Amino acid sequence: MPLIPQPLPFSETFAHPTDPLPAHLERVAQRAAASIAPTAGADIRAIARVAGLFHDLGKATPWFQKYLLHGGKRSPLSNHAELGALLVWWYSAGLDWPLWQRLAVFVAIRRHHGALTFQAWPVLLEQMRLALREDDHPLHRQLQALDFAGIHAWLLTVAAQQPDLALTLEPLTAETVLARLRDRQVGGSKLRVAYQTLSEALATLAGFGALLAMDKTDAALAGVQIARQALPADAVTVYQQQKKHKSYSSLNSRRDQIATTVAQTWLAHLNQHLFTLTAPTGAGKTLTILHAALQIRAQLAQQNGVAPRIIYCLPFTSVIDQNHAVFRAVLQANGIKDRENILLKHHHLTDAVFRTEEAEYQADGAGQLLTETWQSELVVTTFHQLLHSLLSPRNAHLKRAGQLTGAIILLDEVQSIPLRYWETVRQLLIAAAHSYDTRFVLLTATRPLIFQPDDAVELLPDHKTHFQAMSRTQLVTHHEPLPLDTFAQQLTTALKTERRATLVIVNRRQSVRTLFDAVHSAFPEQPVIALSTSFTPLDRRARIRLMQRLLRQNQPLIVVTTQLIEAGVDVSFPLVHRELAPLDSIIQSAGRCNRHNEYGAAGEVHLWHLQAMKADGSAGGSLWRHVYDSALIEVTMETLGAAQQYDETDFLQLSQAYFHGCRMRQDQQRVDVQLQTGDFIGVEKSFQLIEELPTVAVFIAQNDRDQELWERYCAIREDAALTPAQQQQQFRTFKRAFYERVIQIYARSRDDLNQNEVQYLKATPTTYTRQVGFIGFP
């Protein structure tokens, strides 16, 4: 039997080279509990605190201390998560907790350096119990090398400061722990399902997320804590009063009415948690809901002592920059500096530099962590980042779960959530409202049937009146299918006599190229812009800015784009052509037409059923089949019927009929049920907010700056001396700039591409141009 080293005094052990272990455990426990909103479930705070108190207790062994302080080698004996989980299971026996809550703390500590990638959570504990029957298991030696007397004395001190922490505080020895654990069967058929309710599962995730966030930030910031910041409740009002050239029109008057009604309705339902805001496109929903949310935040701060975070979610990164810029302008009008601890933008291309009044944290260090854990007052992010904080086994996502407690979460353009997940999202929001005390608002001009009639409060009760008053656009339907080439000919012919700015929205990138080539050839002197995901994010953003500038100058530009322009991009054309698509997309496209009623007479939106062309010149299948589910198009065509024209006043009724038809046809994928059973493997496989298609990433090099970024990337990737973690750390310093030059290409476009590596493509007239984006590989 190998010799057991003398236990080190617990008071002299370290969590990190200069951070004593007892102090680190107490800080993380206190901060993890404090990060949970005071109005959220007490079980969440308890999980966070106890997990924080024990998560690194396994570091007290001589083997880990040698590894940490003297450069010793990693070995099974220096691992600490399993030992900490075993100890918390023992010490939590005295808590008056249900079994699921004890398991939640056990799993949080056992997996705080990994992921929740296993199916039956109780099985993990039972596996460890069975493993301890083997005398050579590392846990035997680790337990015998712990200073149990020192740990006991420390816990007595902690318990004296926190009387409600009813841990098992009898003196322990390694033999006592092993003997009792061996004798007790923890698993069993009744424990194969981890939870009785979805709220219990969400409570586990929030407590686990609080531990992850506070443990990592405590280590990265050497104990420094990011302080909460104040936001003025009247910030939007101040901003609007300072706008120098606000043209007051009947539309602006209606926007003011809507804003007033929304704020008053929400204040009258302060203790409600689920809301909808249904308002026409261009009705100023962004500023309206920000103003109302700031009002509610101030009221809740006064009522509860803690101001809730405001989390604004959008479906696509392409519109986050736009909304973030609006929020930044509001804050700057109130004298608030641009700092990430106040206003934070987070998606996969985020720069991740995090600034406070006292310091600036870089992307290759604490900045990344502070960004990913949403240590801010106003967060602008994507549906992906939000929903994966509740539906992912990955620590990278779950470390935000605690920040959702008590928050005000605004989900804009919610019609973009795939219909098959509507019931899952509904159940998640209901459970989070109950367990987290989180308030959710679903914003849209085409309200999907995510909530049932009695679930939520409508913040604009008279929204039908506002829809009826809107007469900015008319939808003209062309029912006869038309080959794409024929449509291109008709379009160029019409544009010869049409001097109005024109927007053409089609479903496929190849269609954009076809129409752009036809229009550009016919009008070489006129501004013609193509826009699709064939362009890099950097080029897309530049083209949207160019488009907006030309529209302000009243230029007769022609834009040919895919549907990426629909959700939230602030552009307005007098004339829009839209290829047949699901009805909610059609109505969103109409929101880019005469948006601010600036063109006087009603704008026109023409709907076309486009077809492919066969090699023999005859018409092929409908082009929408390459993009959309046939059921959605069938419901759209049934809803529109044989009518030739609809006014904007009809859009609300049309969208309601459309979503009702969709709900009747679409089977629901109940990911929430998998979450409740603790089946995180199943959750990860089932939940794909963005449809996973076989694509490869291609870096587009157009100039010397691009070439330099590629060479830096290659140098890091090929440096054998760097560990994967070190490679990631160095890459973070230019990650945003790098991925702004990356496009996704369907793998079938080039079968020999390696899908696991970013590919390189030098822009040439035959591969990639600023006019049409990606053309092909040489």
Side-chain angles (χ1 to χ4, degrees):
M1 183 75 177
L3 292 176
I4 305 298
Q6 185 71 21
L8 298 173
F10 178 69
S11 60
E12 298 177 12
T13 57
F14 288 82
H16 307 103
T18 59
D19 187 9
L21 179 56
H24 171 71
L25 294 174
E26 290 179 47
R27 276 199 317 274
V28 172
Q30 185 273 326
R31 292 178 180 179
S35 72
I36 302 300
T39 53
D43 49 1
I44 305 175
R45 230 169 359 268
I47 292 169
R49 180 171 61 171
V50 174
L53 196 62
F54 284 88
H55 73 286
D56 278 350
L57 192 58
K59 289 183 175 181
T61 65
W63 296 282
F64 183 87
Q65 293 298 306
K66 182 178 180 181
Y67 157 74
L68 178 70
L69 302 174
H70 306 293
K73 293 182 178 180
R74 295 300 300 261
S75 73
L77 289 169
S78 65
N79 293 339
H80 68 278
E82 190 171 18
L83 177 58
L86 171 61
L87 293 171
V88 82
W89 181 259
W90 174 264
Y91 280 108
S92 65
L95 294 171
D96 185 21
W97 282 8
L99 184 57
W100 73 264
Q101 198 171 349
R102 288 187 67 199
L103 283 169
V105 173
F106 171 84
V107 170
I109 294 175
R110 181 68 182 84
R111 307 296 294 188
H112 75 282
H113 287 295
L116 302 180
T117 49
F118 49 90
Q119 287 187 314
W121 293 23
V123 173
L124 190 66
L125 179 59
E126 184 63 14
Q127 287 174 347
M128 185 174 70
R129 187 189 73 82
L130 294 174
L132 284 172
R133 292 179 177 177
E134 305 297 330
D135 291 336
D136 59 349
H137 194 284
L139 280 172
H140 288 266
R141 297 183 66 191
Q142 289 179 311
L143 284 167
Q144 294 177 60
L146 284 178
D147 175 19
F148 275 104
I151 293 172
H152 181 68
W154 169 69
L155 283 174
L156 288 175
T157 302
V158 171
Q161 298 169 351
Q162 304 177 39
D164 60 331
L165 190 64
L167 297 169
T168 299
L169 293 179
E170 63 179 272
L172 296 181
T173 64
E175 290 72 19
T176 304
V177 174
L178 288 169
R180 293 196 183 180
L181 191 64
R182 282 171 172 163
D183 291 342
R184 296 181 181 181
Q185 181 176 351
V186 180
S189 59
K190 69 176 181 178
L191 297 179
R192 296 294 173 177
V193 176
Y195 306 110
Q196 298 300 312
T197 68
L198 183 57
S199 291
E200 291 175 357
L202 293 182
T204 298
L205 298 187
F208 183 39
L211 165 65
L212 295 175
M214 295 304 110
D215 180 33
K216 293 178 183 298
T217 55
D218 184 78
L221 275 65
V224 175
Q225 190 169 18
I226 302 298
R228 296 296 305 272
Q229 303 294 307
L231 290 177
D234 61 345
V236 174
T237 302
V238 171
Y239 165 73
Q240 291 177 324
Q241 289 173 347
Q242 289 185 13
K243 290 178 72 174
K244 296 179 181 178
H245 304 292
K246 181 180 178 182
S247 57
Y248 202 80
S249 63
S250 59
L251 181 56
N252 281 328
S253 175
R254 184 165 299 280
R255 287 168 176 164
D256 289 345
Q257 293 175 33
I258 290 172
T260 299
T261 301
V262 167
Q264 290 176 347
T265 304
W266 200 345
L267 287 167
H269 296 84
L270 187 63
N271 294 323
Q272 297 290 327
H273 290 78
L274 303 177
F275 302 90
T276 57
L277 172 54
T278 311
T281 57
K285 288 192 297 293
T286 301
L287 287 177
T288 290
I289 201 62
L290 177 62
H291 171 69
L294 289 171
Q295 298 283 311
I296 297 301
R297 171 185 157 102
Q299 290 289 321
L300 293 176
Q302 184 177 3
Q303 178 177 296
N304 304 322
V306 177
R309 302 179 196 277
I310 298 175
I311 302 171
Y312 195 102
C313 305
L314 291 152
F316 310 117
T317 59
S318 56
V319 292
I320 282 184
D321 287 343
Q322 177 179 287
N323 285 65
H324 178 267
V326 171
F327 295 159
R328 183 173 56 202
V330 169
L331 296 177
Q332 288 175 343
N334 287 265
I336 300 174
K337 294 183 178 178
D338 187 15
R339 301 197 307 263
E340 280 72 22
N341 66 333
I342 296 176
L343 172 62
L344 177 69
K345 176 171 59 177
H346 180 224
H347 53 74
H348 72 287
L349 295 179
T350 300
D351 196 1
V353 172
F354 192 98
R355 293 164 295 177
T356 68
E357 189 173 7
E358 298 81 17
E360 180 174 303
Y361 301 96
Q362 298 304 311
D364 60 340
Q368 182 82 11
L369 183 59
L370 292 170
T371 298
E372 291 178 346
T373 54
W374 293 352
Q375 304 291 320
S376 187
E377 304 303 321
L378 178 54
V379 179
V380 188
T381 189
T382 61
F383 290 169
H384 182 277
Q385 300 294 347
L386 171 72
L387 293 176
H388 278 77
S389 300
L390 300 172
L391 286 170
S392 168
R394 305 295 166 185
N395 287 11
H397 295 299
L398 294 180
K399 61 174 176 264
R400 290 186 289 278
Q403 305 295 69
L404 305 183
T405 62
I408 296 171
I409 300 180
L410 313 172
L411 292 91
D412 201 353
E413 308 291 359
V414 288
Q415 75 282 347
S416 299
I417 295 175
L419 193 152
R420 63 185 178 277
Y421 297 132
W422 282 4
E423 188 59 27
T424 281
V425 170
R426 173 176 177 260
Q427 294 297 335
L428 280 175
L429 300 192
I430 290 173
H434 169 74
S435 182
Y436 289 4
D437 189 47
T438 301
R439 286 162 173 80
F440 295 95
V441 185
L442 307 188
L443 298 88
T444 182
T446 55
R447 185 171 71 195
L449 301 180
I450 294 175
F451 285 149
Q452 297 300 310
D454 296 331
D455 289 342
V457 173
E458 170 57 51
L459 290 175
L460 191 61
D462 59 342
H463 61 273
K464 293 182 180 179
T465 301
H466 296 289
F467 275 91
Q468 288 297 319
M470 291 293 187
S471 57
R472 296 166 296 176
T473 63
Q474 291 181 335
L475 175 64
V476 180
T477 58
H478 302 267
H479 294 281
E480 193 67 28
L482 198 66
L484 181 63
D485 289 355
T486 305
F487 172 71
Q489 295 170 6
Q490 292 187 11
L491 179 65
T492 53
T493 300
L495 288 172
K496 288 177 182 178
T497 57
E498 178 62 72
R499 296 298 297 170
R500 292 182 293 173
T502 301
L503 175 65
V504 183
I505 306 175
V506 291
N507 298 326
R508 303 179 66 207
R509 294 184 289 190
Q510 183 57 49
S511 298
V512 169
R513 280 192 56 198
T514 299
L515 292 176
F516 174 84
D517 289 342
V519 174
H520 184 61
S521 297
F523 306 98
E525 303 301 322
Q526 193 168 338
V528 182
I529 297 174
L531 185 66
S532 74
T533 54
S534 289
F535 293 91
T536 65
L538 191 67
D539 284 346
R540 288 204 301 267
R541 194 161 57 247
R543 300 178 88 71
I544 290 173
R545 287 197 300 266
L546 172 62
M547 186 191 317
Q548 292 169 330
R549 188 179 80 243
L550 292 174
L551 285 170
R552 287 194 299 269
Q553 296 171 354
N554 294 317
Q555 294 287 328
L557 80 157
I558 304 164
V559 175
V560 185
T561 177
T562 58
Q563 57 270 40
L564 68 82
I565 202 170
E566 289 173 354
V569 178
D570 190 9
V571 293
S572 179
F573 290 78
L575 178 61
V576 173
H577 295 276
R578 180 60 168 102
E579 181 182 356
L580 181 61
L583 186 60
D584 60 315
S585 291
I586 296 168
I587 294 176
Q588 288 295 325
S589 296
R592 311 313 120 192
C593 182
N594 201 22
R595 185 174 178 83
H596 309 291
N597 209 23
E598 67 270 50
Y599 296 110
E604 299 173 30
V605 181
H606 291 265
L607 183 64
W608 302 89
H609 184 173
L610 301 182
Q611 295 177 305
M613 291 290 291
K614 294 182 179 179
D616 61 4
S618 62
S622 299
L623 286 172
W624 59 259
R625 293 188 183 279
H626 299 276
V627 181
Y628 295 114
D629 189 290
S630 60
L632 301 181
I633 302 299
E634 289 171 7
V635 177
T636 297
M637 297 175 74
E638 289 174 4
T639 303
L640 292 175
Q644 299 294 317
Q645 181 175 304
Y646 287 99
D647 293 328
E648 185 179 2
T649 55
D650 301 317
F651 287 179
L652 178 62
Q653 184 178 355
L654 287 171
S655 65
Q656 290 174 339
Y658 166 75
F659 283 124
H660 178 74
C662 289
R663 187 64 185 259
M664 297 297 290
R665 293 181 185 226
Q666 176 68 60
D667 292 334
Q668 292 295 297
Q669 202 154 347
R670 295 300 301 275
V671 186
D672 56 299
V673 175
Q674 292 172 290
L675 176 62
Q676 182 174 325
T677 63
D679 178 14
F680 269 86
I681 294 176
V683 168
E684 186 171 37
K685 290 179 179 178
S686 299
F687 187 70
Q688 294 182 6
L689 196 58
I690 301 173
E691 195 69 36
E692 296 291 340
L693 295 173
T695 60
V696 292
V698 181
F699 182 91
I700 307 296
Q702 301 186 70
N703 52 44
D704 291 343
R705 164 64 171 154
D706 300 345
Q707 191 66 36
E708 177 189 344
L709 286 170
W710 175 255
E711 291 171 358
R712 287 178 65 187
Y713 169 78
C714 291
I716 292 173
R717 186 179 59 180
E718 295 167 3
D719 190 340
L722 296 176
T723 66
Q726 290 170 330
Q727 289 178 334
Q728 284 293 325
Q729 185 178 34
Q730 291 191 21
F731 179 54
R732 287 193 193 110
T733 60
F734 62 97
K735 174 183 174 181
R736 178 182 180 181
F738 183 86
Y739 278 114
E740 282 186 333
R741 293 156 172 84
V742 170
I743 60 174
Q744 298 292 328
I745 302 299
Y746 293 125
R748 63 176 178 267
S749 297
R750 191 179 182 190
D751 294 336
D752 59 338
L753 286 178
N754 183 350
Q755 296 185 45
N756 297 318
E757 293 287 349
V758 179
Q759 306 299 310
Y760 172 84
L761 180 67
K762 186 172 182 60
T764 69
T766 58
T767 60
Y768 182 98
T769 70
R770 290 192 185 276
Q771 280 192 321
V772 297
F774 176 77
I775 299 170
F777 292 97

